[in-house]
Every structure is written in C-alpha cells, then in structure tokens.
Amino acid sequence: MDAQILSGKTVSSAVYDGLTSRIENLKSKGIIPGLAVILVGEDPASQVYVNSKTKKFSTLGLFSETIKLPADTSENDLISHINTLNADDRFHGILVQLPLPKHIDSDRILNTITPEKDVDGFHPVNLGNLTAGKPTFIPCTPKGIMRILSHYNIDLSGKHVVVVGRSNIVGRPISILTSMKSPMTNATVTICHSGTKDIFQYTRQADVVILALGSPEFLQGDHIKDGAVVIDVGINRVDVNSEKGYKLVGDGEEASLLKKASAITPVPGGVGPMTIAMLVENTVEAAERSL
Ligand code: GUN
C-alpha cells in the first residue's frame, strides 16, 4: 500500500485557523503583527521564498515590508539597516533571507538582529535557549516538521530518528527537538552529514528519516526499512524540458519511497508551507510578547 501523505497544506491551514483569534485579539489592542524581510541580491529561489512569505502576511491582514538590497551591499550597510529595523516598533519580526552573498559574514548579520525580533530563531541567544531545552524562538522549518508529526499523531518516543544534514537552519535544531525529553518526542537521534561513511547504513535503521541536505532524489526506497516515516525538507530545482524549464524535487525519490514508507511529506506541499506558517506564528508570538 502506498504511504500516507503528510500534507503541509492541511496542517498549515489548521495553524492559520488557530492563529485567527490571536491576531484579532492583537488588532483589538491596536497591534498589527509586522515582519521586515531583507533580501540581498537576486537569487531566484530566494525571491520566490520571500514573495510567498510576504504574500501570506498580506492574505492574513498582517503587515510586512521587504527591503531589497543590491548584491554588492556592504556588511556595514546591511548592519545599519538591521539596526534601524531593530528600533522600529512596526516590526515585531525581522528576517534576513539566506544565503547572503559570499562577501558578507552571515553570523555577524544574524547576531545583529535583536533576539526579541529574531522570528527565524537563528540568533545565538535563541539557538542557545533551544539547546538548553528552554526554547524562545524555534527556527521555522524544524518547528513546522514537529507540528506535522504531532498533527498526524506520529509518536517519536523510543524511536530512532536519522537526520541527514547538520545545518543551523534545519538539521541541528531538528536533532535537538526530536530528542527532547517530553511526550511524543524523546527519540534516539543520529545526525548524518558529508563526513558520514555510508549514510544509507544509518537510514536503513531509521524509524523516521529527516532529509535536509539539498541533494535531489538522494534517498530511494531501498535506502529505508519497510514502514519508515520520511520527512523531506529538500526543495531542489532540476532542469526539465518544460515551459518553466525546471521542476521541484525533494531530497527523496518520491515514487520508490511511496512504496516502502508508511508516511511521507510531499515536495512541494509538505514541509514548505509549514515553514511559512511557523514564521507567521513566531511573528504573532513576538507581537504578543510586546504587549
Ligand atoms: N533560507 C532557507 N531557509 C530559510 C529560512 O528559514 N529563513 C531564512 N531567513 N532564510 C532561509
């Protein structure tokens, strides 16, 4: 039987429904949750991500503004933009779209965003709080993955979760969240990365595989055990002969995984919509904390 589809569209709709009354409550107090997005350069994928984030804010009647800066913006200029936004009360959240051009030190930039407005959860204070088991802002993609798992009642307790990828955006934080000592989590976690010898040796032992490496169709059906759950964070553009010229595929090869897994997130329509929903939720949370 084919795997169950874990739909990020369904779960994100439930998240937005749940946020409606919180947004109304803020508005009744004269507060409209606001997000500032900074986009440096012309990376086409980043432009698409930023547009879908700000479009969602506008659909929900929230405030957002995108600051587009040229690719040759200096690190100091970018820092002074962030300092201005840190002091601007209209914005409860600030997001600097990654990746940044190579001449800019991303860590220095992320450290400049005030932790209270760091709705991406990338500031060392927020990452530190997460690591210490007392999260303040949880990065949006891993938070969205946890929400999908809980929505579909997938209990990780005592399970073996294998994470492929160790980025600060997904791999590292999801390994912390899945191993936390609380009901539905409490998993045993293995992190695989570019230094791992024979990654598939680990994925074949996994009850849950989380793919966050950015390599198109890396994992196939014969790399997992029967009935495993596959969470696919990859969104890769591969060239095809179509009007668009490309199609989006995950880090997993969907056709063969569907036959072997018990449940899988599709690409697109899986983790992607959840990242945006969690960004909205974190921004609403930031606005509530400002009350
Ligand atoms: N680039 C890819 N994912 C993300 C994300 O979640 N936040 C930001 N700021 N940039 C990204």
Side-chain angles (χ1 to χ4, degrees):
M1 206 177 67
D2 272 2
Q4 178 188 20
I5 299 294
L6 307 173
S7 166
K9 287 187 191 160
T10 304
V11 184
S12 61
S13 289
V15 169
Y16 295 126
D17 287 347
L19 285 174
T20 310
S21 62
R22 289 168 65 182
I23 294 169
E24 287 312 313
N25 181 45
L26 284 162
K27 285 187 176 171
S28 74
K29 298 186 163 97
I31 294 175
I32 299 173
L35 175 73
V37 179
I38 301 184
L39 176 61
V40 186
E42 312 269 319
D43 178 59
S46 288
Q47 286 175 341
V48 172
Y49 295 145
V50 165
N51 283 342
S52 42
K53 287 168 186 172
T54 51
K55 205 169 123 198
K56 182 51 83 177
F57 270 71
S58 121
T59 311
L60 295 168
L62 307 178
F63 176 56
S64 80
E65 205 166 282
T66 304
I67 294 112
K68 291 188 179 167
L69 301 172
D72 61 358
T73 301
S74 73
E75 203 172 286
N76 285 342
D77 272 355
L78 183 51
I79 285 178
S80 71
H81 276 284
I82 295 171
N83 282 330
T84 306
L85 296 169
N86 280 341
D88 188 334
D89 288 345
R90 293 174 306 155
F91 300 115
H92 305 93
I94 301 171
L95 178 152
V96 177
Q97 186 64 28
L98 301 175
L100 287 166
K102 290 208 164 41
H103 67 278
I104 295 176
D105 176 355
S106 303
D107 288 337
R108 195 169 160 229
I109 298 305
L110 297 176
N111 291 4
T112 305
I113 300 172
T114 184
E116 290 76 23
K117 294 191 180 189
D118 171 39
V119 284
D120 254 332
F122 295 162
H123 190 284
V125 164
N126 289 319
L127 286 177
N129 288 341
L130 174 65
T131 309
K134 304 259 180 313
T136 31
F137 283 118
I138 300 174
C140 302
T141 302
K143 190 179 187 190
I145 293 171
M146 297 310 287
R147 203 60 67 82
I148 289 181
L149 292 168
S150 64
H151 180 96
Y152 287 100
N153 256 321
I154 297 172
D155 186 352
L156 300 180
S157 179
K159 300 277 173 59
H160 184 198
V161 172
V162 172
V163 179
V164 188
R166 59 180 155 190
S167 70
N168 288 341
I169 299 182
V170 187
R172 191 74 68 191
I174 197 67
S175 72
I176 295 167
L177 289 165
T178 49
S179 61
M180 269 182 178
K181 191 171 182 178
S182 56
M184 300 296 279
T185 60
N186 220 14
T188 303
V189 179
T190 301
I191 310 184
C192 299
H193 45 74
S194 53
T196 303
K197 289 193 182 118
D198 188 7
I199 289 179
F200 301 133
Q201 170 200 337
Y202 298 96
T203 58
R204 286 193 182 100
Q205 295 176 43
D207 299 304
V208 178
V209 183
I210 301 177
L211 294 168
L213 70 159
S215 176
E217 301 184 323
F218 172 81
L219 190 87
Q220 304 187 349
D222 60 357
H223 300 139
I224 61 168
K225 68 180 183 188
D226 260 328
V229 173
V230 178
I231 304 292
D232 192 340
V233 184
I235 305 181
N236 309 288
R237 287 181 181 210
V238 295
D239 293 338
V240 286
N241 216 343
S242 70
E243 199 181 314
K244 255 195 198 164
Y246 69 89
K247 66 169 180 170
L248 294 178
V249 299
D251 290 347
E253 205 262 312
E254 200 164 86
S256 60
L257 288 170
L258 273 171
K259 294 197 187 92
K260 197 92 180 278
S262 62
I264 184 168
T265 57
V267 177
V271 176
M274 292 309 297
T275 298
I276 300 179
M278 294 301 103
L279 176 65
V280 174
E281 186 175 277
N282 280 354
T283 307
V284 169
E285 238 168 75
E288 288 169 344
R289 286 182 206 160
S290 77
L291 280 175

